[in-house]
Amino acid sequence: MEQVISVSPVVLPAPGRGIDLQVRISAPIKGAQLPVILFAHGFGNSLDGYAPLVNYWAARGFVVIQPSFLDSKRIGVSPDDPRTPDIWKIRVADMKQVLDQLDDIIDVVPGLQERVDTSRIAAVGHSFGAHTSGLLLGMRVIGEEDDMSDARVQVGVLLTAAGNGGADLSPFAAANYPFMNPDFSGMKKPALVVAGDKDISPLTVRGWDWFTDPYTMSPGPKSLLTLYGGEHLLGGISGYHVVETSDENPERVAAVQQLTWAYLRTAFYPEDTAWQDAAIDLTQGKIDNKGDL
């Protein structure tokens, strides 16, 4: 485990977006050939969120980049703003802009450019951010012609990602979130799906198993981590001592930290058995797999 350096905001001009794109970059102060995690926050959060995960990943050999999306509370885009219906698309565009300007972002940290392996990139997201990351991995939205996947992203982690649309949506979700009609059949890249078995959402008429759809309805290779007792914030992953965490549980957060890191480590370096080793030690939940990682 290494010490971590974090720089924010790194400002990227974004003509047509209405406001420049701001990101945070976090990296270990030592180490080489560091893979990149592009992290998408949940609705209303920002580049300053998810420190329990970001710090853990960066301290163990990843460069983590976090954009602030237009739905962030600190930006304050109103519901009647003309951009609001397309925020889900703008999120993906923001992630792609980060990839387009990856070298510029990395250059902000002195000496980091020589230590990063930009051929290994993962898309990770929580909640709304998992929808964003899923689109980069090949998920489609039914009724939308655009394929938003990105070949630069090889693997992903989807934390409490929304499931199937249509009749599985609550009336509120069906009326307000037309983008919540995913087609997972094209999400062929390796991904870890994480769900909590106490995550009951107002967005669906189903139970917690709705959050396992990205695993069950997509082709392998995929893995599913089900966390016992986990609600939507999986014990408190969005920050230290955040008030919105209803299932605060440090052990559950530790399981998410360890297993997400281990999954990505083995995904990028198949000779490393970190994922298999972490799975053996798991006591907070269970793991299902389909296809080879």
Side-chain angles (χ1 to χ4, degrees), residues 78-269:
S78 66
D80 58 356
D81 187 289
R83 294 170 292 179
T84 296
D86 289 328
I87 278 180
W88 67 277
K89 295 181 180 179
I90 298 171
R91 277 172 152 259
V92 178
D94 290 346
M95 296 277 269
K96 292 188 176 187
Q97 181 175 355
V98 169
L99 292 173
D100 291 342
Q101 297 184 248
L102 192 54
D103 287 340
D104 295 333
I105 297 168
I106 293 169
D107 276 341
V108 172
V109 181
L112 183 59
Q113 187 68 251
E114 296 76 24
R115 300 193 293 121
V116 179
D117 182 355
T118 56
S119 71
R120 290 184 168 98
I121 298 175
V124 181
H126 173 243
S127 194
F128 196 6
H131 183 274
T132 305
S133 297
L135 290 166
L136 290 174
L137 293 167
M139 185 185 83
R140 304 284 288 267
V141 171
I142 295 172
E144 295 282 339
E145 295 183 0
D146 292 341
D147 175 2
M148 300 183 184
S149 63
D150 196 299
R152 292 170 289 187
V153 175
Q154 293 99 26
V155 63
V157 176
L158 307 182
L159 303 159
T160 63
N164 192 43
D168 288 342
L169 295 178
S170 66
F172 174 82
N176 291 279
Y177 305 127
F179 60 86
M180 292 186 67
N181 284 283
D183 175 2
F184 297 109
S185 63
M187 197 170 73
K188 299 176 181 179
K189 294 182 179 181
L192 170 64
V193 176
V194 183
D197 69 1
K198 299 296 182 186
D199 190 357
I200 306 302
S201 173
L203 299 176
T204 180
V205 296
R206 286 169 51 194
W208 71 271
D209 66 301
W210 185 61
F211 292 98
T212 68
D213 287 352
Y215 170 79
T216 59
M217 301 181 73
S218 65
K222 296 290 185 297
S223 294
L224 172 65
L225 168 61
T226 302
L227 292 166
Y228 303 143
E231 298 181 18
H232 202 59
L233 292 179
L234 300 173
I237 62 170
S238 64
Y240 297 110
H241 310 296
V242 291
V243 295
E244 66 264 27
T245 302
S246 58
D247 67 328
E248 187 171 358
N249 187 304
E251 292 78 17
R252 189 173 302 125
V253 173
V256 177
Q257 291 172 325
Q258 293 162 5
L259 285 150
T260 53
W261 171 84
Y263 180 87
L264 293 174
R265 179 69 191 175
T266 298
F268 285 133
Y269 305 99

